[in-house]
Amino acid sequence: MNITKVVTIISAITVVVGIAVSLLNKRIEDTNKRIDDTNKRIDELRQDMDKKFDELRHDTDRRFTELKEEIREIRLLLYKVLEVPQKEGKT
């Protein structure tokens, strides 16, 4: 085998390796973009869930306060109807 053939074979291998590297780099870039897009979507979902959780917590607190007031009113009515003296501190 002469030197020209060896150089030709090495050049061909270099071209093939270069193409393979380019293709792999493109796949890596595409994968990184998909990962970035997924991370962005996860962040958006997390923000939405945090917002909904805060709204739910606020609504639950408000309803709990309303229920406590209704129970207090029912208790007062029961005391009046049954003519039961109220305990101190229970109004």
Side-chain angles (χ1 to χ4, degrees), residues 2-88:
N2 66 21
I3 192 77
T4 306
K5 287 184 179 181
V6 170
V7 170
T8 303
I9 291 172
I10 291 174
S11 295
I13 291 172
T14 303
V15 168
V16 169
V17 168
I19 291 170
V21 167
S22 284
L23 292 173
L24 288 173
N25 283 335
K26 175 69 171 132
R27 288 183 70 182
I28 289 169
E29 289 172 13
D30 291 347
T31 301
N32 285 337
K33 183 180 181 328
R34 287 197 323 263
I35 289 170
D36 290 342
D37 291 345
T38 301
N39 286 337
K40 181 180 177 184
R41 182 65 182 138
I42 288 170
D43 288 342
E44 290 169 355
L45 288 171
R46 186 174 287 130
Q47 289 172 359
D48 287 345
M49 292 304 296
D50 287 345
K51 181 180 176 185
K52 289 181 192 291
F53 180 75
D54 287 342
E55 290 170 0
L56 181 61
R57 184 176 4 164
H58 175 72
D59 190 49
T60 302
D61 290 345
R62 181 185 53 79
R63 288 182 182 188
F64 183 70
T65 301
E66 289 172 0
L67 284 173
K68 283 173 44 178
E69 181 61 27
E70 287 180 24
I71 290 170
R72 186 179 91 59
E73 290 172 8
I74 290 169
R75 183 180 292 134
L76 290 173
L77 286 173
L78 280 174
Y79 287 146
K80 287 180 184 178
V81 169
L82 298 174
E83 296 180 358
V84 175
Q86 296 181 23
K87 294 181 183 178
E88 288 186 28

